[in-house]
Amino acid sequence: NAYMYAIREFEDAIDDCKAGCVNGVIGSGTDCNSKSSAAVHAWDEGVAFYTGSLEGSNVGGNTAGVFSYRLAEKRCANFKTCGKQSDSVSGVSFVNIQLFEKLSIGQAKLLVGQCDAVRPVLRDMVALMSIPLIQGTLRYAYKIDKMAGGGKEKGEGAIFAAAIVPRVHHCNPGDGDTLMKHMEVGASSTSFAVVKAAFEKNYACMNITCQEVGGIWNTADNKYFANAGPCGINTGASWTTIAGYQPGSKVTDHNALDLDQRAIELELSQPNIDYNHVNKIYSEGGNSKAYALFTVNTLGTALKKGDKVVGQTSRVEGKVYQNYPVGATSIKVAYQVSDNQQS
């Protein structure tokens, strides 16, 4: 396990430091630097095991990486914990930014024989390294519970949980047992809410924060998934329930089809029926079809369904409703509808 072996090397660095500079003597000058070189080598080995060669030499690494460094980069995009403030879905992960700053601090202290002073630095490092494991467990708990995850999701969830549960168990054995009950291979059921709560109760003990862990980010809708945001932030059901059913995606415009039907019935009940108007409601909607028809200059480039468009004057954003070939002069643009369909 490269993750655990990296930690083992960091611990070994402190031991080597004390062996070179008796009792971690500070201020021993050049002699101590020389004797503590083995400590720095062990520290460097820990960095190597955490990162791996595939990440290359640049900050941010390379997507070809496969060790803990890459896991932190992947999860930061999933949990909106990239960047120095742990609040972005792009950039270098907060975990790796903070970890590598502490790695440099630890190395400097080892070089001058400040052996005991490395201990609190290492505690912070181990706390940071645990965050992607928590995020991984939460991510797959959500997939299993809310997205009908199958064998792959259950297997990955069990692996992430097995890696982090000992740390939770150290803080609270009961919460550790709860996590394993819901995430182990063959678990009878998995409740994302229970898993999330079990972790959150132990963040303080594990020396991490809600913001550092973040929440499961819904890129398509640019917000957290329902009830999956960082602790302390209310991210309740994103969409209005339908007769008690909680939809997992936005269907408010689809749900409004009956309003179109009601409008048609109203038109047909009039003494003088305007069938053109009836047909317009039927074909174009108004409540259930959240799009607008625009006349445009002859298209010089084909558009695909889902392409983003922006109004030249209004700057309102929308997505192309269907495919359009070169030469088209009118297009339908789907626009954003509210989460709560008003009747």
Side-chain angles (χ1 to χ4, degrees):
N1 186 312
Y3 162 76
M4 289 299 297
Y5 205 79
I7 296 174
R8 184 263 177 192
E9 289 295 343
F10 296 140
E11 291 281 0
D12 187 44
I14 297 175
D15 292 340
D16 288 346
C17 177
K18 290 183 176 181
C21 298
V22 180
N23 296 320
V25 176
I26 298 174
S28 299
T30 303
D31 184 58
C32 186
N33 285 343
S34 175
K35 292 180 179 179
S36 67
S37 62
V40 172
H41 178 67
W43 194 257
D44 292 345
E45 284 185 325
V47 178
F49 287 128
Y50 175 81
T51 309
S53 64
L54 293 173
E55 294 292 348
S57 59
N58 295 326
V59 174
N62 188 295
T63 55
V66 295
F67 281 175
S68 298
Y69 187 100
R70 185 50 34 191
L71 176 63
E73 295 303 303
K74 288 181 177 180
R75 290 295 90 92
C76 87
N78 300 142
F79 282 75
K80 199 181 180 186
T81 53
C82 303
K84 291 184 177 180
Q85 304 302 319
S86 189
D87 61 357
S88 177
V89 294
S90 62
V92 181
S93 69
F94 173 82
V95 166
N96 283 336
I97 291 172
Q98 291 294 310
L99 180 63
F100 274 64
E101 287 181 1
K102 294 184 183 301
L103 284 167
S104 295
I105 292 171
Q107 182 192 65
K109 291 183 181 299
L110 290 169
L111 280 170
V112 295
Q114 297 178 0
C115 312
D116 290 332
V118 180
R119 172 61 58 194
V121 176
L122 180 54
R123 288 198 190 99
D124 289 343
M125 287 167 49
V126 174
L128 287 165
M129 290 169 66
S130 73
I131 291 173
L133 300 177
I134 295 171
Q135 292 171 330
T137 308
L138 288 170
R139 183 168 187 253
Y140 286 100
Y142 191 90
K143 285 177 175 285
I144 296 167
D145 185 16
K146 306 298 183 181
M147 297 180 174
K152 177 182 182 297
E153 289 75 19
K154 292 178 180 179
E156 294 208 35
I159 291 170
F160 277 116
I164 192 60
V165 160
R167 189 165 175 82
V168 177
H169 194 275
H170 173 76
C171 292
N172 187 309
D175 289 330
D177 291 342
T178 295
L179 286 172
M180 285 310 298
K181 178 182 177 182
H182 285 261
M183 297 303 300
E184 66 185 353
V185 174
S188 58
S189 64
T190 299
S191 167
F192 171 74
V194 170
V195 170
K196 187 172 185 286
F199 274 128
E200 290 173 354
K201 286 189 289 183
N202 294 283
Y203 283 171
C205 174
M206 292 189 287
N207 194 29
I208 56 178
T209 68
C210 295
Q211 184 177 354
E212 289 169 351
V213 176
I216 305 178
W217 187 250
N218 184 341
T219 302
D221 289 322
N222 198 37
K223 59 185 176 183
Y224 295 109
F225 280 103
N227 301 310
C231 47
I233 296 179
N234 183 9
T235 57
S238 301
W239 299 280
T240 305
T241 56
I242 303 173
Y245 171 77
Q246 178 60 64
S249 62
K250 182 177 290 185
V251 290
T252 47
D253 51 343
H254 304 75
N255 196 41
L257 181 63
D258 56 351
L259 300 182
D260 291 343
Q261 177 177 313
R262 186 173 69 178
I264 291 173
E265 292 173 353
L266 180 61
E267 289 292 329
L268 293 174
S269 70
Q270 302 303 309
N272 297 310
I273 301 173
D274 184 345
Y275 285 101
N276 288 329
H277 195 197
V278 172
N279 183 62
K280 184 178 179 65
I281 297 173
Y282 175 79
S283 60
E284 298 183 12
N287 295 289
S288 64
K289 286 190 176 180
Y291 67 74
L293 180 65
F294 292 97
T295 299
V296 297
N297 294 329
T298 302
L299 292 181
T301 304
L303 295 176
K304 293 186 294 185
K305 179 179 179 181
D307 283 349
K308 179 181 177 180
V309 293
V310 181
Q312 188 172 7
T313 303
S314 67
R315 310 310 297 171
V316 172
E317 297 183 3
K319 294 182 179 180
V320 176
Y321 194 75
Q322 61 191 49
N323 295 332
Y324 289 98
V326 172
T329 58
S330 63
I331 63 172
K332 293 178 180 179
V333 176
Y335 52 84
Q336 188 87 5
V337 295
S338 67
D339 292 346
N340 297 290
Q341 180 67 49
Q342 300 295 321
S343 59

